[in-house]
Every structure is written in structure tokens, then in C-alpha cells.
Amino acid sequence: MGLPAEAYLQEAFAVKVYDGDTIEVILPDGSKKKVRYLGIDTPELHHPQRGEEELGKIAAAFNAQLVMKKAIMLEVDVQPYDRYGRLLAWVWLSPKNKDLLVNEIITRNGLAMPFTLSPNVKYTDRIIRAFRLAFKERKGFWDKACRRVFTSEQAWNELPSLAGKFITLKLTIREIERSSNKVSLVDMDGKMRVVIYNDDLPRFSKTKFEKNLTLYVAGKLRTSFQGGQMKLADPIQIIKMKH
């Protein structure tokens, strides 16, 4: 059976933790459901291509500490399921602790990036506030990111070993590319890029990007078919900008 789309708040019992943002629960009708947390993205633990990313085990253990073998409340948003059939939910620790949002707690401890995806944005503002505090206090992977500074050239040369790790990237913009779902800031050699997805763009309305601007940005480095890539979810990830 599982959770119908109209059931926006549902009690559940967490029985398995897959990683920092995915669990399995038992619903009151006895059915099991795989749940993907809304609004956040934690380091991968079992990704078929990227494997285990930095702090993946720590994020999973922290998630387990919060929810494993506990009664929780699942709150769905506008879109209840993803294309894999997973329930998409904002997860509350219990009916008695309605203000304790698991998605937010994980972000606040520096173990999750914001993952804004319309139309499921009910608590995005809470996630962003938690993210900014974690970044300012260098919690979790932000401590590592702020202590590791690589130029675009260095990051490209060491991409096989740096992929999945959190770093500060020094990138000088050569081109600004716009596609249907994102803006890409491409470096001088075209091998490294910083991307901002459309759902995050409104937060950058006061940030002026232009050619030949040098950025120092902190985040997770990943590989893509275009080369190295770092996602920006919020302007706080921009440590410095200079001409």
C-alpha cells in the first residue's frame, strides 16, 4: 500500500539507514517504504559511478543516530514520489518534537548540501539558514573545504583523487554558459566549471558574475562529461571574488 499522495503527515518507524539522506521505514499499515529526504544532499555512500564520497560514512552514521529504530513523522510536499518510487519527505523526529526537522539537523551539522528542487520547497528557507550557519562555523565538511585550496589547473590535474571531496576552488571565469536548467561559470581552460541550478539562482540575484572575474568557492568537487564541476547552492559558498 504505502503512503497516498493526500496523506501529508504520516507516522513511521525507521528500520534501515542507507546513507545520510535515505532510509527505509515501516508504515502503520505494515508496509515498508524507502524514503528520500527532501531539501538536502549528503555525500554518497553506495553510488554506482561515484562510489563512496568523503564523509559519506559519517553522514550515514549521524542519520542513524537521529532516526534508527525510532518513531518519526513523514511530511510529504507537493510531489510525493521520485522517479525511483521513493517517498520524498520532510522528516520530523516525533509528534512530540515537531520542531526537530531531521533534514535541517543534518545540514546544520555540516553533513548536507541544500538540494532545492521545485515544487518541493516548503522548508527550503530552514535548510538554507542551517546551511549558512554550518558554513560560517565550519561544521562537518566545511572545515575540510576551507582548508584545501586548489587552482583550476591543480584541481584538474588531481581530479581522479579529488572527486567527491570538499575543497576551495580558485576559478577565473572565461565564459558564462546558460542552459535550460543551470548557469555554468567556465574556467579559462574550459576544464573546470562552477554550476548554479535554476532553483538556486534567485539567491544569487545580488551577485554579479562576469568574464575574467576570479572566484574562490567552497564545495564538493565532482566529475562530469564536461570535466570537473562544483555546485553552488548559496552565495555563502563564495569566499572571495576579485578582478
Side-chain angles (χ1 to χ4, degrees):
M1 292 177 64
L3 188 68
E6 64 271 13
Y8 286 97
L9 195 63
Q10 175 73 67
E11 187 174 354
F13 189 77
V15 293
K16 185 175 182 178
V17 170
Y18 291 95
D19 54 30
D21 54 35
T22 310
I23 61 175
E24 185 173 78
V25 303
I26 297 179
L27 298 175
D29 65 5
S31 63
K32 286 186 177 181
K33 205 71 179 174
K34 196 169 185 178
V35 178
R36 174 62 163 86
Y37 295 176
L38 283 171
I40 67 172
D41 185 36
T42 61
E44 297 289 350
L45 193 55
H46 308 290
H47 195 277
Q49 281 81 44
R50 299 198 296 273
E52 180 183 327
E53 295 181 328
E54 186 172 48
L55 271 67
K57 287 181 179 177
I58 292 176
F62 186 75
N63 187 22
Q65 182 183 347
L66 290 172
V67 304
M68 189 62 179
K69 301 296 183 183
K70 294 179 183 178
I72 55 177
M73 295 295 291
L74 306 177
E75 182 177 356
V76 301
D77 211 321
V78 177
Q79 179 185 334
Y81 296 97
D82 66 9
R83 59 181 175 172
Y84 306 109
R86 298 179 299 183
L87 180 67
L88 303 174
W90 303 101
V91 181
W92 304 92
L93 280 183
S94 79
K96 294 180 180 179
N97 292 298
K98 182 63 170 68
D99 195 49
L100 296 179
L101 181 61
V102 174
N103 319 50
E104 180 182 25
I105 295 169
I106 294 171
T107 307
R108 180 68 180 85
N109 282 270
L111 295 171
M113 287 280 293
F115 182 55
T116 309
L117 190 62
S118 299
N120 294 331
V121 296
K122 185 173 183 179
Y123 298 108
T124 293
D125 288 348
R126 290 181 63 152
I127 298 299
I128 294 300
R129 284 196 297 269
F131 176 62
R132 290 172 178 172
L133 286 170
F135 190 94
K136 288 178 180 177
E137 297 172 9
R138 294 194 177 186
K139 291 287 187 67
F141 44 60
W142 299 120
D143 178 56
K144 295 180 179 294
C146 292
R147 288 189 287 108
R148 300 166 171 164
V149 182
F150 292 84
T151 65
S152 289
E153 183 179 6
Q154 290 170 331
W156 171 252
N157 290 335
E158 298 184 40
L159 189 57
S161 61
L162 287 179
K165 292 184 170 57
F166 291 83
I167 69 167
T168 294
L169 178 67
K170 179 187 177 185
L171 178 145
T172 299
I173 301 172
R174 181 195 68 178
E175 295 290 343
I176 300 175
E177 299 177 354
R178 290 175 172 82
S179 64
S180 61
N181 67 332
K182 65 181 182 293
V183 171
S184 299
L185 310 175
V186 186
D187 79 341
M188 302 307 286
D189 294 322
K191 296 175 180 177
M192 303 294 295
R193 60 186 56 217
V194 171
V195 300
I196 306 170
Y197 286 90
N198 289 350
D199 282 328
D200 298 315
L201 271 176
R203 291 192 287 276
F204 292 85
S205 61
K206 296 182 180 179
T207 307
K208 185 177 181 181
F209 297 114
E210 55 190 33
K211 293 181 181 180
N212 299 317
L213 181 69
T214 297
L215 306 175
Y216 289 77
V217 292
K220 181 168 66 175
L221 191 64
R222 296 169 72 165
T223 57
S224 74
F225 70 94
Q226 296 171 311
Q229 177 176 295
M230 181 181 289
K231 174 188 172 184
L232 290 191
D234 188 81
I236 199 169
Q237 290 175 257
I238 303 172
I239 297 172
K240 184 166 59 174
M241 300 170 60
K242 68 177 185 178
H243 288 279

